Amino acid sequence: MKKLKYVVLSIILILVCKIEVNATSLSLGLSCPKTTYSGTTIKCTVTSNVGGGMINGINANYSFTNASYQGFSANSSWSVYNSGSNGFALGNLNGSSGGSIGTLTVLINGSTGSTATITLNNIGASDTEYNDVSASSVTSTVSVIEKPVPTTT
């Protein structure tokens, strides 16, 4: 009878203590300078916020208005599977619960007074159990301002 009690208690503990690591939500952040000059190259930080677990793969596409792709550099915890002017695909075999993904370098080519937009869209990821997790598009807007004229004395 005592042995049965321990078996039942062990089963209950296993069921109660089961840890689920599937990611249930994902959002990306895109942080770019708010203003810059036409012809300037800027760097935008890409971050992730994962709820309910971890992700081990992520991909996204880029779209630009008054701007063009110059490069993408992934954070050291991510392996680059594919990266180019259309987007990126990254992997992290240890899993990531969020934080920095990398830096997107963009050339601003809008005229003074215009705005440039940088968008990450078609965002997809997989959690550590290889379940699909998606996220909404994210956009950063940069105002193109007039370059100050140097004064002479």
Side-chain angles (χ1 to χ4, degrees), residues 16-89:
V16 170
C17 294
K18 183 181 177 201
I19 298 172
E20 193 68 38
V21 293
N22 296 345
T24 57
S25 66
L26 170 68
S27 62
L28 292 190
L30 181 61
S31 177
C32 301
K34 297 296 177 200
T35 61
T36 194
Y37 311 118
S38 183
T40 302
T41 299
I42 63 168
K43 294 189 181 294
C44 302
T45 304
V46 181
T47 57
S48 67
N49 183 11
V50 180
M54 299 176 83
I55 58 171
N56 64 1
I58 189 163
N59 62 277
N61 291 114
Y62 312 124
S63 63
F64 305 99
T65 303
N66 293 326
S68 59
Y69 172 85
Q70 295 296 298
F72 178 79
S73 174
N75 181 292
S76 62
S77 63
W78 290 94
S79 298
V80 178
Y81 296 142
N82 191 9
S83 179
S85 60
N86 293 324
F88 61 79

Side-chain angles (χ1 to χ4, degrees), residues 39-150:
T40 302
T41 299
I42 63 168
K43 294 189 181 294
C44 302
T45 304
V46 181
T47 57
S48 67
N49 183 11
V50 180
M54 299 176 83
I55 58 171
N56 64 1
I58 189 163
N59 62 277
N61 291 114
Y62 312 124
S63 63
F64 305 99
T65 303
N66 293 326
S68 59
Y69 172 85
Q70 295 296 298
F72 178 79
S73 174
N75 181 292
S76 62
S77 63
W78 290 94
S79 298
V80 178
Y81 296 142
N82 191 9
S83 179
S85 60
N86 293 324
F88 61 79
L90 310 174
N92 183 331
L93 296 179
N94 296 320
S96 171
S97 58
S100 176
I101 293 175
T103 303
L104 176 62
T105 305
V106 178
L107 174 65
I108 303 299
N109 48 30
S111 59
T112 299
S114 68
T115 57
T117 58
I118 299 101
T119 301
L120 299 178
N121 52 35
N122 299 320
I123 300 164
S126 62
D127 65 17
T128 54
E129 299 295 318
Y130 301 101
N131 297 304
D132 290 336
V133 183
S134 61
S136 298
S137 297
V138 60
T139 299
S140 185
T141 302
V142 180
S143 296
V144 182
I145 60 174
E146 187 174 354
K147 207 175 225 180
V149 178

